[in-house]
Every structure is written in structure tokens, then in C-alpha cells.
């Protein structure tokens, strides 16, 4: 008898689920088409992708390979679709090899160093430059121990010191930033954190 | 007088002079004009020539411009074509991806022997269609003590990502109850070479099941300093099977290998809810309930409870978990007694960044109605991280189990693990 009792519970639950699912899915369809965002993604990546295992390097995989991996991890970790899209955008933006063209040297996106820091760098480096997540060094130490040219090169091309569990992605993971932008943001962090 | 004589002379001379002068002057003027004319004509000719050259040149440069434009267009077309060919691999809908992990190990268990003790390969296959359908499947290939290779289907589910918050999985999945079995057992994820006491196969923590699962994540709409999230898994499954001891009078284990039979005709219902009030802290609770029965016997209640937690602070990673399975007594059964399996562990790991080293310590305790399987364990480990996903782990386990059982022997482990 408990057999039939469970079956009834099971079928009832399935029905209830179906009723919840369909309105929920159409509701979500309206809200879910927000495209992935690189700077939100860098924060979500740093917050979520070290919960079960060590952070994997964005440069480990090609753009198309990250897609099924992030899908797999979205299901494994119980992330929302938006979190997954943001993280995917970040990973796909952070695995590129930057091309330095002569013409973009002086150009900027028209953002101040502060704006760039708050959009792209703050997720990892924190508002105080001391690091928002494990694996991020205090910027103060680095700014005091390295030359401007070296730092600029590392911001532009990405950097991982030997033994560091995490890499600084090229241009902080935002391929749209020009060398001019990077100089502005370096000036800003030198003023703020040095 | 004289003057009257001179006057006509002067006058006539003047007239003569005028008459003379005029034609002479005229003659000179005529010569100049001719020269000028000639020069002008020469200039005009030159001008015409220049004009002609100019004309030719502009015509030529117009032709060149056209040519250049055509060439640029051709290059642009080439670039577009190359780009769209390049983008093909970014935009195609069906993707195939191969992941997985491998591990090899060396064990010395005191006082028994030294040996290269583990060779395991776990390929994971992913097939996805856009961000809607994902098939995920993990095989486990492992060399057994007798040299045979064992092949097992660890999990195989088809996942339908219905919307941003709901995914439906059908197939064989790792048990959603607790956290270690589902997420932490892969060799490159687990910070120690072994599972905590009670979290191995057929011990206190359920391993896998076959059925239907609903899971996903939702933001918690609260105004906190950080965005808070919850993740959930609910499932209905065939449930585990009861295994009798050799004498046939006691239930020895609950086998949760994930079977496609359901002899007792009962389903298991359960789930896990995880809360992340801040990103670095997760607290989870699991429960499952159902009926199990031995062959041709009546049903008896089966319950699972579990709690797990995880906290990250800078280089410190702390986690712990408690899990309990309970099979009720049934006086009419050949194995009438109630049986319990209960285990918990707490683990702390600390990374030394500049050296790539990670220290790990873990305490685990496994209790059961069967005293001979019980174990209490301290494990100490030191890992060398070659990569975030490739490491060599050295560990020593201080084991305290039933006398003369292998669970009582201390063990030294070296494991080389790589996840890809």
C-alpha cells in the first residue's frame, strides 16, 4: 500500500512541478536574455569558481571549449543562467593574447582611471587595492617594488608570478581597454594605493 | 629777321622728325609683337602639353584609385570570409568536449607493504546544444588488485537547462545528498588522496542514484552587503538496495551504486539546499526519505540526513560535513534490526602561495551499528601544486578502527593527480 501511496505522491509532485515550471520558464525567458558582462563575470568567477576546486586559468581553454565547461559547472554548482553567462564572458575575454597596434597607443575609451578601476579591476583587487579574494596580492607592495614600465606591461599582457595560484588576466580581462586607458588606470592606482 | 628764318626750319625739322620717327617706332613695335606672339604660342603649346600630361595623369590616378579600391574591397571580403570561417568554431551549436582526470598512487600501509597502488582514469564527455541541452557522462577505469581493469559508468545524465533557474537532469547522477560524493571526490579536487572515513563506497554517504533531478540556483532577494544566492537539488530515484551480511541475518550495507532496477517498487525522494549568505560561505542541508525492502519482504523506512559547510578566508579553506543513513527495524524480516551509518569530517587546508605548497589536515569519524567497519582518522597532508589542476599529494593517515581490520592500520599515501 505504501507503494501506491508513494506513486501518488510522485505523480502529484510531477504535476505540481510542471505547473510551476511552465510559468517560471516563460517568466525567465523575458528576463534571461541579458548578455554576459565581463566585469560582473570576473567577480562571479572569483567568488564561485574556487568553491570546490582551485581556480582554473582562463587561458587553459579556447572560447568554444569554455562553453560546455561553464554549462557543466553551472549545473554542478547551481549557478543561475546569468551568473554562467557573465562568467563565460569573462573567461572568453581573459584567454586572448593581446595584439598591440601602434595606432591605439594614445587612444582611450574616454573613461578616467578611476572609472576603469571600478569597472574592471575592483572585482579582484578590491576597493582598497588589498585584494577582494584569495590569491590577489596587495597592490601597494607591487606598486612600491616594481617600475611603472614593468607594471604597465603586466597589466597589458597579463602576469602570473611563479607559485601564484591565480593569474592577472591581460587588461584585467577587458580586451576593449587601450594602452592609453591602461596608463590612466595605472596612474589612478598609483595615486590611490602606493 | 633771323628768327623768322629759323622758325620755319625748326618747324619743318620737327615735322620731318615726326614723320621719320613714327614709322621707325612702328617698325620696332611690330618686331616685339611678333616675338611675343611666338613666345605665347610656345607657351600655349607647352600648356597644352602639360594639360595633356595632367589629363593623362589624373586619368591614370583615377584608374589606380579604382584599382586600389577594388583591391581593398577584395581584401575586406577576404577578411570577412576568414573571420566568419574563424567564427564558425565560436558559433556552432553542437559542441563536443572531453574532460576528466587521472590519478596514480603509492601506498605503504603499516605493517603490510609498499606498493604502487592506484591507476585510475576518469574521462568525462560533454555534448552540448547551445545553452539548452547538455549530456554529461563520466566513466571510471581503474586497475583492480588482481590486475583486471574495472569499467564503471560514474554518471550519465541528459540535462535540460529550462531557464536561468531550473535544470532538469535525467539519468544516473552522483547523489545530491551531501557535498563530498557529489563535488569533492575527484582526485584533483580532493585535497587528500583518500576519502574521509565513512565517505567511501557503500559507507555512510550515498554515492549515486538513477532517476530524475531538478536543480538550479536563485538569487536571494535580500539587501545584504553582498548578493546572496541559494542552490537547490530535488530528486526522485530508484533508491539504494539493502545488502545482507554473509549469515543473512543482518543488513550489512545500503548499496547506492545507482541501479536501473527498483525491485521494492518504492521511490526515494530527497534533495539538498545550499545557502551562500556571502560568497565565501556555503551552508547546505540534505535529506531523503523513502521505503526499502529486502526481496519478498515488507517495506521499511529509510532516511538520510546531512549537513555540510564550507568557508574560504584568504588562503584558508575550511569545510566539513555530516551524513547519516538509517534503515528502520522490521520484526518480520530475516534481518529485523535497525541499522545506522553515520560519518562526519572537518578539514582545513592552507595555501602557501610563494611556494606552491598546501597543508591539509582532516579529522573524520565513521560510526555504524556494525562495529567492525567503524573508523576514526586523522589525516595530515602536504600538496605540491604544479598547476591548479595538477598536484602531488603526500599524506599520512592515523587510523583507529576495529582491531585486526585493515581500517586500523596507519597509511602513507603519495598521489599524483591531474584534472583536465
Amino acid at each position: 500500500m505504501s507503494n501506491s501511496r508513494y506513486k501518488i505522491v510522485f505523480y502529484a509532485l510531477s504535476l505540481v512541478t510542471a505547473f510551476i515550471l511552465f510559468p517560471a520558464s516563460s517568466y525567465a525567458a523575458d528576463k534571461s536574455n541579458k548578455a554576459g558582462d565581463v566585469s560582473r563575470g570576473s567577480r562571479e568567477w572569483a567568488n564561485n569558481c574556487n568553491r570546490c576546486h582551485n581556480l582554473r586559468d582562463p587561458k587553459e581553454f579556447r572560447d568554444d571549449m569554455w562553453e560546455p565547461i561553464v554549462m557543466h559547472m553551472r549545473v554542478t554548482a547551481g549557478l543561475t543562467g546569468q551568473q554562467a553567462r557573465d562568467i563565460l564572458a569573462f573567461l572568453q575575454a581573459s584567454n586572448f593574447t593581446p595584439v598591440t597596434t601602434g595606432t591605439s597607443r594614445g587612444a582611450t575609451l574616454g573613461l578616467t582611471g578611476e572609472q576603469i578601476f571600478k569597472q574592471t579591476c575592483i572585482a579582484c583587487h578590491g576597493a582598497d587595492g588589498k585584494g577582494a579574494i584569495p590569491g590577489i596580492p596587495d597592490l601597494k607592495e607591487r606598486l612600491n617594488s616594481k617600475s611603472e614600465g614593468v607594471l604597465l606591461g603586466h597589466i597589458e599582457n597579463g602576469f602570473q608570478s611563479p607559485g601564484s595560484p591565480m593569474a592577472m588576466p591581460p587588461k584585467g580581462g577587458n580586451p576593449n581597454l587601450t594602452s592609453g586607458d591602461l596608463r590612466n588606470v595605472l596612474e589612478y592606482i598609483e595615486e590611490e594605493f602606493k | 629777321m633771323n628768327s623768322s628764318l629759323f622758325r620755319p626750319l625748326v618747324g619743318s625739322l620737327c615735322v620731318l622728325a615726326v614723320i621719320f620717327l613714327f614709322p621707325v617706332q612702328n617698325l620696332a613695335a611690330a618686331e616685339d609683337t611678333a616675338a611675343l606672339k611666338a613666345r605665347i604660342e610656345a607657351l600655349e603649346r607647352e600648356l597644352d602639353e602639360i594639360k595633356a600630361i595632367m589629363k593623362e595623369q589624373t586619368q591614370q590616378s583615377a584608374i589606380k584609385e579604382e584599382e586600389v579600391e577594388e583591391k581593398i574591397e577584395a581584401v575586406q571580403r577576404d577578411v570577412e570570409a576568414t573571420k566568419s570561417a574563424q567564427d564558425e568554431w565560436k558559433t556552432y551549436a553542437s559542441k563536443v568536449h572531453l574532460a576528466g582526470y587521472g590519478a596514480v598512487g603509492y601506498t605503504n600501509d603499516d605493517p603490510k607493504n609498499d606498493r604502487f597502488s592506484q591507476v585510475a582514469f576518469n574521462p568525462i564527455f560533454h555534448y552540448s546544444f547551445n545553452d539548452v541541452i547538455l549530456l554529461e557522462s563520466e566513466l571510471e577505469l581503474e586497475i583492480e588488485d588482481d590486475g583486471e581493469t574495472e569499467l564503471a559508468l560514474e554518471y550519465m545524465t541528459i540535462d535540460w537547462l529550462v531557464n536561468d533557474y531550473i535544470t532538469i537532469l535525467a539519468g544516473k547522477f552522483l547523489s545530491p545528498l551531501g557535498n563530498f560524493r557529489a563535488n569533492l571526490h575527484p582526485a584533483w579536487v580532493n585535497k587528500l588522496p583518500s576519502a574521509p572515513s565513512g565517505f567511501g563506497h557503500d559507507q555512510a554517504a550515498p554515492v549515486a542514484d538513477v532517476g530524475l533531478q531538478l536543480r538550479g540556483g536563485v538569487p536571494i532577494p535580500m539587501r545584504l552587503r553582498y548578493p546572496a544566492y541559494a542552490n537547490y537539488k530535488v530528486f526522485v530515484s530508484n533508491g539504494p538496495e539493502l545488502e545482507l551480511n554473509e549469515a543473512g541475518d543482518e543488513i550489512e550495507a545500503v548499496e547506492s551504486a545507482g541501479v536501473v532496477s527498483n525491485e521494492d517498487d518504492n521511490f526515494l525522494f530527497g534533495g539538498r539546499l545550499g545557502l551562500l549568505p556571502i560568497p565565501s560561505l556555503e551552508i547546505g542541508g540534505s535529506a531523503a526519505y523513502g521505503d526499502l525492502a529486502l526481496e519478498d519482504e515488507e517495506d521499511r523506512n529509510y532516511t538520510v540526513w546531512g549537513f555540510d559547510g564550507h568557508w574560504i578566508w584568504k588562503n584558508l579553506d575550511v569545510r566539513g560535513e555530516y551524513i547519516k543513513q538509517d534503515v528502520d527495524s522490521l520484526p518480520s524480516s530475516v534481518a529485523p534490526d535497525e541499522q545506522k551509518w553515520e560519518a562526519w569530517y572537518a578539514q582545513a587546508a592552507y595555501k602557501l602561495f610563494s611556494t606552491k605548497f598546501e597543508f591539509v589536515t582532516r579529522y573524520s569519524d565513521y560510526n555504524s551499528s556494525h562495529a567492525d567497519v567503524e573508523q576514526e582518522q586523522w589525516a595530515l597532508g602536504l600538496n605540491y601544486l604544479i598547476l591548479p589542476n595538477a598536484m602531488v599529494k603526500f599524506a599520512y593517515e592515523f587510523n583507529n578502527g576495529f582491531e585486526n581490520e585493515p581500517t586500523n592500520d596507519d597509511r602513507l599515501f603519495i598521489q599524483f593527480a591531474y584534472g583536465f
Side-chain angles (χ1 to χ4, degrees), chain A residues 7-80:
Chain A
K7 270 190 202 137
I8 291 167
V9 174
F10 174 46
Y11 295 131
L13 270 177
S14 316
L15 260 172
V16 170
T17 311
F19 275 110
I20 298 173
L21 262 175
F22 288 99
S25 67
S26 56
Y27 160 79
D30 314 330
K31 298 199 63 177
S32 69
N33 40 22
K34 257 207 259 168
D37 176 90
V38 173
S39 69
R40 272 202 313 264
S42 70
R43 194 174 54 228
E44 296 288 2
W45 174 71
N47 284 342
N48 288 292
C49 300
N50 63 349
R51 265 162 50 201
C52 300
H53 49 70
N54 297 327
L55 273 172
R56 300 284 290 253
D57 190 340
K59 284 206 275 306
E60 217 185 307
F61 297 102
R62 231 167 48 181
D63 284 7
D64 59 330
M65 292 168 91
W66 273 120
E67 280 177 33
I69 296 174
V70 170
M71 222 171 153
H72 178 205
M73 289 301 114
R74 169 182 163 189
V75 175
T76 300
L79 302 174
T80 66

Side-chain angles (χ1 to χ4, degrees), chain A residues 127-166:
Chain A
D128 55 3
K130 290 196 190 338
I133 38 171
I136 307 285
D138 190 344
L139 279 178
K140 184 177 177 155
E141 277 169 33
R142 302 291 176 101
L143 295 172
N144 283 323
S145 63
K146 298 189 184 180
S147 76
E148 213 165 277
V150 167
L151 292 169
L152 196 61
H154 288 169
I155 300 174
E156 176 135 22
N157 301 311
F159 172 66
Q160 188 162 19
S161 29
S164 168
M166 206 174 139

